Amino acid sequence: QVQLVESGGGLVQAGGSLRLSCACSGRTCSGYAMGWFRQAPGKEREFVAAISQRGDRTQYSDSVKGRFTISRDNTKNTLFLQMNSLKPEDTAVYYCAAEITAYFYSVFVNQREYDYWGQGTQVIVSS
């Protein structure tokens, strides 16, 4: 069983940066593809970014491409999301997710493909 705990959220002005972390415990997440999703008030949860087991492959939503970077450190069992040039529309609760996979290069963009989820961390971007 995997437990995921996000941190790093907060209040930031538009144009600023934040780095989210997701600590994986219970067992190593090196065999899991992982991803970030977000849910804004009154909206459905949406895909943000995904990364393969070893970090060789990444995928981003069009809305964050070029501004956000997903990465992972398997030696520390931690997933990251570096968010730059933040916009008010990035305001949301951000969730990390993990899904075990036998394939090194798998990335999952559909939230239904993930079995494990964190509790979320709030990001507020003021204009």
Side-chain angles (χ1 to χ4, degrees):
Q1 190 77 1
V2 168
Q3 290 85 43
L4 304 173
V5 179
E6 303 95 335
S7 61
L11 174 64
V12 63
Q13 288 189 332
S17 298
L18 279 176
R19 190 192 197 202
L20 304 184
S21 298
C22 173
C24 181
S25 62
R27 59 184 301 171
T28 178
C29 276
S30 59
Y32 291 71
M34 301 189 74
W36 288 98
F37 291 77
R38 68 185 181 186
Q39 187 168 19
K43 296 188 177 181
E44 294 187 352
R45 189 161 58 186
E46 65 175 5
F47 168 73
V48 175
I51 190 166
S52 59
Q53 286 182 9
R54 298 178 178 178
D56 306 82
R57 286 192 62 197
T58 58
Q59 192 161 342
Y60 298 91
S61 68
D62 288 342
S63 62
V64 307
K65 198 174 297 182
R67 299 188 298 121
F68 291 11
T69 302
I70 188 171
S71 63
R72 64 191 298 167
D73 184 342
N74 285 340
T75 65
K76 296 181 179 179
N77 255 353
T78 305
L79 175 72
F80 302 101
L81 186 68
Q82 178 67 44
M83 306 187 295
N84 299 328
S85 303
L86 282 161
K87 304 175 182 180
E89 50 264 43
D90 295 317
T91 294
V93 177
Y94 284 72
Y95 299 90
C96 68
E99 176 61 21
I100 196 165
T101 174
Y103 301 103
F104 295 147
Y105 300 109
S106 293
V107 290
F108 303 118
V109 302
N110 190 326
Q111 58 184 304
R112 291 192 296 272
E113 295 176 291
Y114 289 92
D115 283 337
Y116 301 99
W117 292 85
Q119 84 290 346
T121 185
Q122 177 76 59
V123 172
I124 300 173
V125 184
S126 63
S127 57

